[in-house]
Amino acid sequence: MSTRAFNKLFILLSLWPLLASASFYPTASQISQKLIDPLANVVKFPVEVDYEHKIGILDDGSRWTLNFKPHIPIDYDEHWLIIAQTKFPVIHQEDINPISQTQTGFGDLEQRFLISRIDPGWWGLQWGAGPTFLFPSGTDTRLTRDRWAIGPSAAVVHSSEAWITGIHVQHLWSFAGNQQRSAINETSIEPFVGYTTPTAWTYMVNTEARYDWVAQQWFTPLHVMAQKLITLGGAEISLGAGFRYWLESPRSGAKDFGPRLNITLVLLRENS
């Protein structure tokens, strides 16, 4: 072997680990798309802020909600994941009813576990299913439903190079807690569609519709969001902004438009 050929072979072998890892490292647009995927095989820590107003019989109440929503996938084996999703709200509300004044504190914690295949199945569909739990962790009687609840949860997602669509559905029944508070028997339906550009901008429309079978009432907010993935100090972070519009709510519920902001820290896994 000539010296020139040997040098080329040596350089190729030296660079091979870098080339191999680069070929499997997701692009910024692929990472950005995973931020709105409820079955994504990435660790993400979203923090979401919502503002609602025109609440209460007199339409003069308002509410700020700060939701911590960590999403942590855990390998079960080489084919399956267990995805732990938590929703933990911090709430500040004023004048929800004429005598309530102001409350600030924690709301009820929702914990979901979805068992999902790592690789997509038929027709490129990713699916997951598992239990959901609601814990009465609220620190004020007006910030908690004061009931323990449990129920099934399922999600289906289809993604392509730029588009992602899917739906998450769950149902909760209360089984313990304060018997003087209303029982929980509700269905949540959350369809979404998103488009991600090559520059890692993602535009999404979704609803978080909930039907209360006890009150026979829909709660249906529509969300329109735009978010951008950036690298800050070596970390992948998404910044997003948009609005919420209430398509349907009870007479004393929130109405009209309100802003939604979010920030998400992303931690990639080996097989993301």
Side-chain angles (χ1 to χ4, degrees):
M1 179 183 294
S2 68
T3 302
R4 180 175 295 180
F6 177 80
N7 289 339
K8 289 181 178 179
L9 179 62
F10 178 77
I11 293 172
L12 179 62
L13 292 175
S14 299
L15 293 177
W16 176 252
L18 278 175
L19 295 173
S21 62
S23 64
F24 291 103
Y25 193 85
T27 65
S29 60
Q30 289 172 329
I31 298 171
S32 185
Q33 190 182 75
K34 292 177 185 294
L35 294 175
I36 61 173
D37 183 351
L39 301 176
N41 188 14
V42 297
V43 177
K44 47 188 177 179
F45 297 96
V47 179
E48 192 174 78
V49 180
D50 286 314
Y51 175 72
E52 301 166 306
H53 65 131
K54 294 187 178 180
I55 305 173
I57 299 175
L58 302 178
D59 285 349
D60 56 357
S62 62
R63 178 187 295 121
W64 286 95
T65 303
L66 177 69
N67 277 312
F68 296 91
K69 303 170 70 173
H71 169 111
I72 302 175
I74 303 166
D75 292 324
Y76 179 75
D77 58 25
E78 64 270 23
H79 301 296
W80 295 91
L81 290 172
I82 299 175
I83 302 173
Q85 298 175 341
T86 307
K87 183 177 180 181
F88 185 53
V90 179
I91 303 169
H92 173 80
Q93 61 185 25
E94 299 179 358
D95 302 323
I96 298 300
N97 64 56
I99 61 172
S100 67
Q101 299 183 343
T102 301
Q103 298 83 42
T104 301
F106 299 130
D108 292 341
L109 184 146
E110 184 177 308
Q111 181 64 57
R112 179 186 308 138
F113 297 97
L114 295 174
I115 301 173
S116 174
R117 282 190 63 87
I118 294 176
D119 299 318
W122 301 303
W123 305 295
L125 293 177
Q126 191 97 14
W127 61 270
T132 298
F133 306 90
L134 183 70
F135 303 94
S137 56
T139 53
D140 188 285
T141 57
R142 288 176 284 275
L143 301 178
T144 178
R145 304 175 75 175
D146 215 8
R147 287 278 194 160
W148 298 77
I150 189 173
S153 177
V156 178
V157 177
H158 181 271
S159 59
S160 61
E161 184 175 345
W163 289 93
I164 181 169
T165 57
I167 187 170
H168 171 256
V169 180
Q170 74 175 28
H171 190 89
L172 284 171
W173 293 278
S174 56
F175 64 91
N178 187 345
Q179 299 297 315
Q180 296 182 349
R181 302 294 293 270
S182 178
I184 297 174
N185 180 13
E186 64 183 33
T187 303
S188 298
I189 305 172
E190 301 177 10
F192 67 91
V193 58
Y195 176 79
T196 302
T197 71
T199 55
W201 278 95
T202 296
Y203 305 96
M204 182 183 71
V205 178
N206 82 312
T207 66
E208 297 174 358
R210 176 168 60 90
Y211 186 74
D212 185 336
W213 294 90
V214 176
Q216 297 185 340
Q217 174 68 57
W218 280 101
F219 300 76
T220 312
L222 173 73
H223 302 108
V224 178
M225 295 289 298
Q227 56 192 40
K228 179 71 168 72
L229 185 74
I230 62 173
T231 300
L232 187 63
E236 305 286 356
I237 296 175
S238 172
L239 303 174
F243 66 85
R244 160 186 283 190
Y245 178 75
W246 283 94
L247 300 175
E248 186 170 352
S249 67
R251 171 65 186 86
S252 60
K255 302 169 187 68
D256 295 343
F257 289 90
R260 166 171 282 193
L261 305 172
N262 64 41
I263 180 171
T264 305
L265 172 65
V266 187
L267 301 177
L268 297 178
R269 308 178 75 231
E270 183 178 348
N271 54 352
S272 296

